[in-house]
Amino acid sequence: MQSPTHITVQGGGPLEGLVPVGGAKNSVLKLMAATLLAEGRYVLSNVPRITDVDLMSDLLRATGCTVARDGLLLVIDVPAEIEPVAPYEIVEQFRASIVVMGPMLARCGEARVALPGGDDFGPRPIDMHVRGLQELGVEFETAHGYIHARAGNLQGARVLLEFPSVGATENLLMAAVRAKGSTVIDNAAREPEIVDLCELLNKMGARIVGAGSSMLTVEGVDSPDSLHSANHTVIPDRVEAATYLCAVGITGGEITVAGARHEHMIMLCQKLGEMGMRISHDPGGIWALANRRLTSADCQSLPYPGLATDFKPFLVTLLASTAGVGIVTENLFSGRFRYVDELRRMGADIRTDSHHAIIRGVDKLSGAPVRAHDIRAGAALVIAGLGAEGETVVSDAEHIARGYDDIAGKLNGIGGKVSYR
């Protein structure tokens, strides 16, 4: 897929109408990786047309799988034998590729995975992945830019994560499916995407209990034949939904985010309500009304069910146009305020201090040329442009296409003026 390099946004009036949300990027990539566990044909539904899905498709093909798309369906045929190697030229483009390590180890007893790349917002080491898998009996060595993991026999164990890492939880889950005996993952991530992965794995014959809680128990299956292919529908993307909710907070108006699940976004909805937005669960999604200028609030990113770090760029952008002063604290990743300089170019009054951003709302942002540093920061600049005076041009927009299926078309459908070039 050829991604646009620039997105042009004309500031304008309120947003009105219904905007659909697609399948979750942060879930579908892990579901695709899980197919490596067993031979057979998998059909995934509600798969977004985004660059990262194309990259994961290429990675699966490199292992010997066949991947075909039909609209929002993705059909994956996994052969009897796979090549447990994730090559550098694919892996260096997106960080989620590291989650193939768990299923490769479970299926083949080894995995050779290039050190991952991805978004540019600070280091995200994979130490917890490694330490957790070592508890299951995996041995590691690193050379020439690759991690080589080996396990003659995976053994169930109790693994206590020092932090509820989503990626480490996912890798451990998929490896533990084939470990001998019982594995308990304590302080596990609780995100909806983890629950989605557990649902697919259980459909495939895995035995996992505790999904959605901080303790997951996996009873290893006896043989490869105990696992089989399955079909699954990807959950809606709560981060995409958050993008549109914050957009209407900036521009004003009334929208319904079709397909969004309120129960996956309770903390965000509460925070937007605190700022003055009327927001509620709708039978078809989430309804939101912003009929006046919102007021500032303090926010901090925390593991689920707290505010996701992926929501933070949208909240910083929203606070830049609210009345008052808000403080946003980043507790999860260093370096994730790099887009603030771009918002300042648009007239935002933001000061950063270590992992805090102090935002004094201005009456109106001003359109300007800006650059997307990563997926969510790029989307935040697009919605900033919707509420700004004049024209905003977001360069390096190919980052946005990694996580959004036609963001311009969806925003135009509710009254935005957004175009690709």
Side-chain angles (χ1 to χ4, degrees), residues 301 309 312 328-334 336-337 355-356:
S301 62
T309 188
K312 186 171 58 61
V328 174
T329 302
E330 173 57 64
N331 291 313
L332 304 181
F333 297 120
S334 64
R336 212 170 186 190
F337 285 121
H355 59 293
H356 304 286

Side-chain angles (χ1 to χ4, degrees), residues 18-222:
L18 184 147
V19 57
V21 66
K25 166 192 175 292
N26 290 337
S27 185
V28 68
L29 303 179
K30 323 307 172 59
L31 300 173
M32 293 172 70
T35 66
L36 293 174
L37 281 164
E39 178 185 2
R41 169 165 288 191
Y42 299 78
V43 179
L44 300 180
S45 307
N46 196 33
V47 176
R49 288 172 287 238
I50 57 175
T51 309
D52 273 16
V53 166
D54 294 341
L55 290 170
M56 184 60 87
S57 297
D58 288 342
L59 181 46
L60 293 183
R61 292 185 184 107
T63 72
C65 300
T66 300
V67 185
R69 177 185 279 280
D70 181 8
L72 297 180
L73 295 180
L74 199 69
V75 180
I76 302 169
D77 287 297
V78 180
E81 294 186 8
I82 62 168
E83 183 69 26
V85 177
Y88 169 78
E89 59 270 18
I90 301 173
V91 170
E92 60 97 16
Q93 298 182 66
F94 73 127
R95 193 172 297 268
S97 54
I98 193 67
V99 297
V100 299
M101 184 182 294
M104 284 179 175
L105 282 164
R107 179 85 179 274
C108 305
E110 65 174 328
R112 188 166 177 265
V113 181
L115 289 167
D119 281 333
D120 179 23
F121 50 82
R124 288 188 284 174
I126 61 168
D127 299 6
M128 278 185 283
H129 300 243
V130 171
R131 285 197 295 271
L133 290 168
Q134 284 174 330
E135 293 291 326
L136 303 186
V138 180
E139 296 180 350
F140 289 90
E141 63 180 13
T142 303
H144 308 295
Y146 279 80
I147 304 168
H148 198 166
R150 295 183 181 88
N153 290 292
L154 291 167
Q155 297 290 330
R158 187 178 190 91
V159 181
L160 174 62
L161 295 176
E162 62 184 71
F163 176 84
S165 161
V166 173
T169 300
E170 291 162 339
N171 254 330
L172 282 166
L173 270 172
M174 290 187 275
V177 164
R178 285 295 320 280
K180 184 175 178 60
S182 176
T183 298
V184 176
I185 307 171
D186 202 352
N187 198 27
R190 300 164 57 189
E191 275 76 357
E193 294 80 12
I194 296 288
V195 177
D196 206 27
L197 176 60
C198 289
E199 288 183 3
L200 173 61
L201 292 173
N202 283 338
K203 286 180 183 178
M204 293 168 61
R207 296 175 291 192
I208 303 169
V209 296
S213 76
S214 60
M215 184 174 291
L216 295 168
T217 302
V218 187
E219 293 294 337
V221 299
D222 297 330

Side-chain angles (χ1 to χ4, degrees), residues 299-362:
C299 310
Q300 59 177 324
S301 62
L302 289 168
Y304 189 84
L307 288 170
T309 188
D310 277 350
F311 295 165
K312 186 171 58 61
F314 318 137
L315 289 167
V316 169
T317 301
L318 176 57
L319 288 166
S321 60
T322 57
V325 179
I327 299 174
V328 174
T329 302
E330 173 57 64
N331 291 313
L332 304 181
F333 297 120
S334 64
R336 212 170 186 190
F337 285 121
R338 296 179 186 179
Y339 57 90
V340 163
D341 285 342
E342 307 303 315
L343 288 172
R344 289 192 186 112
R345 290 174 57 80
M346 300 179 70
D349 184 352
I350 306 174
R351 179 169 60 88
T352 57
D353 180 9
S354 182
H355 59 293
H356 304 286
I358 299 93
I359 305 124
R360 187 179 302 275
V362 299

Side-chain angles (χ1 to χ4, degrees), residues 194-400:
I194 296 288
V195 177
D196 206 27
L197 176 60
C198 289
E199 288 183 3
L200 173 61
L201 292 173
N202 283 338
K203 286 180 183 178
M204 293 168 61
R207 296 175 291 192
I208 303 169
V209 296
S213 76
S214 60
M215 184 174 291
L216 295 168
T217 302
V218 187
E219 293 294 337
V221 299
D222 297 330
S223 68
D225 296 338
S226 301
L227 296 176
H228 51 80
S229 60
N231 300 337
H232 189 73
T233 300
V234 184
I235 59 170
D237 196 318
R238 60 195 173 105
V239 184
E240 184 187 6
T243 311
Y244 306 136
L245 292 174
C246 289
V248 78
I250 293 168
T251 65
E254 180 180 1
I255 66 168
T256 297
V257 185
R261 294 188 184 176
H262 185 272
E263 66 270 23
H264 291 172
M265 308 174 65
I266 291 173
M267 193 68 70
L268 176 68
C269 291
Q270 287 181 355
K271 185 61 64 174
L272 294 176
E274 180 185 331
M275 296 167 70
M277 184 183 294
R278 292 178 59 192
I279 190 163
S280 68
H281 170 71
D282 180 272
I286 297 176
W287 169 86
L289 171 69
N291 56 5
R292 59 182 176 84
R293 187 183 184 192
L294 302 185
T295 55
S296 294
D298 295 340
C299 310
Q300 59 177 324
S301 62
L302 289 168
Y304 189 84
L307 288 170
T309 188
D310 277 350
F311 295 165
K312 186 171 58 61
F314 318 137
L315 289 167
V316 169
T317 301
L318 176 57
L319 288 166
S321 60
T322 57
V325 179
I327 299 174
V328 174
T329 302
E330 173 57 64
N331 291 313
L332 304 181
F333 297 120
S334 64
R336 212 170 186 190
F337 285 121
R338 296 179 186 179
Y339 57 90
V340 163
D341 285 342
E342 307 303 315
L343 288 172
R344 289 192 186 112
R345 290 174 57 80
M346 300 179 70
D349 184 352
I350 306 174
R351 179 169 60 88
T352 57
D353 180 9
S354 182
H355 59 293
H356 304 286
I358 299 93
I359 305 124
R360 187 179 302 275
V362 299
D363 289 339
K364 199 78 171 175
L365 295 174
S366 175
V370 291
R371 183 169 74 90
H373 290 277
D374 61 68
I375 301 170
R376 308 308 175 185
L381 293 171
V382 171
I383 66 173
L386 291 172
E389 291 182 338
E391 181 180 271
T392 298
V393 179
V394 182
S395 61
D396 290 354
E398 59 273 12
H399 285 295
I400 302 171

